[in-house]
């Protein structure tokens, strides 16, 4: 479903907070999973994690666009609030440049997110999704080849959200991880830290990092061995909380660790729990 008014308001405030220290946002570059994916998986014909059929896209675009929602994503709302055109998926832009239907890559940003991906490289690799590390490589290639104006990056917003697939997959019975939950979360945060360092080196200065929601409450958790069917999966949500806490620490360290950069943490988990606690207040 599309974002509810309170969540949207929170995200708009987040966008304003990030952009207030500089001029108007001219472009948005997005990295992550299905929460942000604008259709990259759709243009990856080898990928089996798809949203190219009804009811996806039915309430806004009136057709499936590869977004894993019936309408717009959070990134779409933020783009509209910033007054810029919705960003194309990287793979779509790449195809259009390659076949000559357009000369240059978009100047309003690019969406690199891939549904089903995680911060760990191997997460859902059997689905042929695009891992975070490859998303970063795609962006770096455009920078190295001067396909993106480096001056544009100074007035761009960088959005990041990933990790729910990693944590969900931790509990899959067919391939149990070798690490304990704390070590697994730390491995995830190490990848996030490396991503932040690289994205800064490539020119990112305004970075919004979104926490995970309560992954242990998604309906699919009931299919996992040992998971409750009448309440949220506490062990899974504890990993989410630990990961989110680490994310917030990463964000708070951005100004001191990366001169000239500003980071904002979007507390999605807390907002979703508020909706769950008092649903009538928010029309759900």
């Amino acid at each position: 479903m599309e974002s509810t008014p309170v969540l949207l308001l929170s995200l708009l405030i987040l966008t304003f907070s990030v952009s207030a220290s500089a001029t108007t946002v001219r472009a948005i570059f997005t990295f992550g999973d299905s929460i942000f994916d604008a259709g990259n998986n759709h243009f990856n014909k080898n990928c089996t994690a798809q949203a190219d059929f009804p009811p996806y896209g039915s309430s806004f675009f009136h057709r499936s666009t590869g977004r894993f929602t019936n309408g717009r994503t959070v990134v779409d709302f933020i783009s509209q609030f910033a007054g810029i055109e919705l960003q194309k998926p990287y793979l779509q832009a790449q195809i259009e440049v390659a076949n000559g239907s357009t000369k240059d890559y978009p100047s309003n940003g690019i969406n690199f997110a891939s549904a089903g991906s995680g911060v760990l490289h191997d997460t859902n690799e059997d689905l042929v999704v695009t891992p975070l590390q490859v998303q970063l490589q795609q962006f770096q290639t455009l920078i190295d080849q001067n396909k993106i104006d480096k001056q544009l990056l100074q007035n761009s917003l960088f959005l990041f959200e990933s990790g729910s697939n990693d944590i969900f997959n931790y509990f899959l019975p067919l391939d149990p991880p070798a690490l304990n939950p704390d070590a697994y979360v730390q491995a995830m945060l190490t990848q996030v830290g490396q991503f932040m360092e690289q994205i800064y080196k490539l020119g990112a200065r305004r970075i919004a990092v979104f926490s995970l929601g309560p992954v242990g409450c998604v309906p699919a958790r009931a299919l996992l061995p040992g998971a409750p069917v009448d309440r949220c999966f506490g062990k899974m949500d504890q990993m989410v909380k630990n990961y989110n806490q680490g994310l917030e620490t990463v964000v708070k360290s951005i100004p001191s660790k990366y001169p000239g950069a500003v980071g904002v943490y979007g507390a999605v988990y807390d907002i979703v729990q508020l909706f769950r606690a008092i649903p009538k207040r928010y029309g759900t």
Side-chain angles (χ1 to χ4, degrees):
M1 296 178 62
E2 288 199 330
S3 302
T4 60
V6 173
L7 178 56
L8 175 57
L9 176 61
S10 301
L11 295 170
L12 298 185
I13 292 173
L14 181 152
T15 308
F16 176 79
S17 300
V18 175
S19 60
S21 61
T23 56
T24 303
V25 172
R26 294 174 52 200
I28 297 177
F29 294 92
T30 302
F31 303 85
D33 56 27
S34 61
I35 301 297
F36 285 171
D37 191 350
N40 277 301
N41 285 13
H42 172 72
F43 289 94
N44 177 1
K45 298 309 178 183
N46 294 320
C47 180
T48 57
Q50 296 290 347
D52 51 3
F53 51 88
Y56 293 117
S58 60
S59 70
F60 183 78
F61 299 98
H62 306 298
R63 60 182 176 85
S64 58
T65 63
R67 290 168 170 81
F68 283 71
T69 170
N70 65 310
R72 290 160 287 183
T73 67
V74 168
V75 182
D76 295 331
F77 280 118
I78 292 176
S79 298
Q80 291 176 326
F81 174 74
I84 60 178
E85 187 177 350
L86 303 187
Q87 294 76 45
K88 291 181 178 180
Y90 165 74
L91 291 180
Q92 178 184 357
Q94 184 186 51
I95 291 170
E96 292 175 352
V97 170
N99 65 22
S101 61
T102 187
K103 181 180 179 182
D104 301 313
Y105 280 84
S107 60
N108 65 318
I110 300 174
N111 189 312
F112 296 90
S114 172
S117 67
V119 298
L120 299 177
H121 188 279
D122 294 342
T123 294
N124 288 332
E125 62 178 347
D126 56 316
L127 304 181
V128 197
V129 298
T130 307
L132 178 65
Q133 294 77 6
V134 176
Q135 295 175 33
L136 183 60
Q137 290 171 3
Q138 292 169 340
F139 176 67
Q140 181 170 354
T141 297
L142 295 182
I143 296 295
D144 293 343
Q145 295 178 351
N146 295 316
K147 302 295 185 182
I148 297 176
D149 181 3
K150 293 182 175 63
Q151 291 298 114
L152 176 67
L153 303 181
Q154 302 298 317
N155 296 320
S156 297
L157 184 61
F158 288 77
L159 305 182
F160 169 86
E161 187 279 338
S162 187
S164 60
N165 294 308
D166 305 279
I167 291 179
F168 188 89
N169 284 9
Y170 183 86
F171 293 90
L172 293 178
L174 299 180
D175 188 22
L179 301 175
N180 64 45
D182 289 343
Y184 188 84
V185 168
Q186 187 55 52
M188 292 172 61
L189 292 170
T190 297
Q191 291 300 315
V192 174
Q194 292 176 359
F195 171 83
M196 293 300 164
E197 182 175 350
Q198 290 302 312
I199 210 73
Y200 174 79
K201 289 180 178 178
L202 292 171
R205 293 298 180 269
R206 288 180 283 177
I207 307 168
V209 176
F210 293 76
S211 79
L212 303 184
V215 183
C217 299
V218 300
R221 61 84 174 67
L223 301 175
L224 298 171
V229 297
D230 57 347
R231 63 186 184 279
C232 298
F233 194 1
K235 291 181 180 179
M236 184 177 288
D237 274 342
Q238 186 58 55
M239 288 183 71
V240 170
K241 292 176 183 178
N242 293 344
Y243 176 71
N244 286 344
Q245 185 177 17
L247 276 185
E248 188 170 12
T249 299
V250 169
V251 174
K252 287 180 177 179
S253 71
I254 286 177
S256 59
K257 195 171 183 178
Y258 305 115
V262 58
V264 174
Y265 176 75
V268 175
Y269 189 100
D270 297 337
I271 296 171
V272 173
Q273 292 296 60
L274 186 62
F275 290 163
R276 294 183 64 245
I278 323 174
K280 291 184 178 179
R281 178 181 295 180
Y282 305 105
T284 58

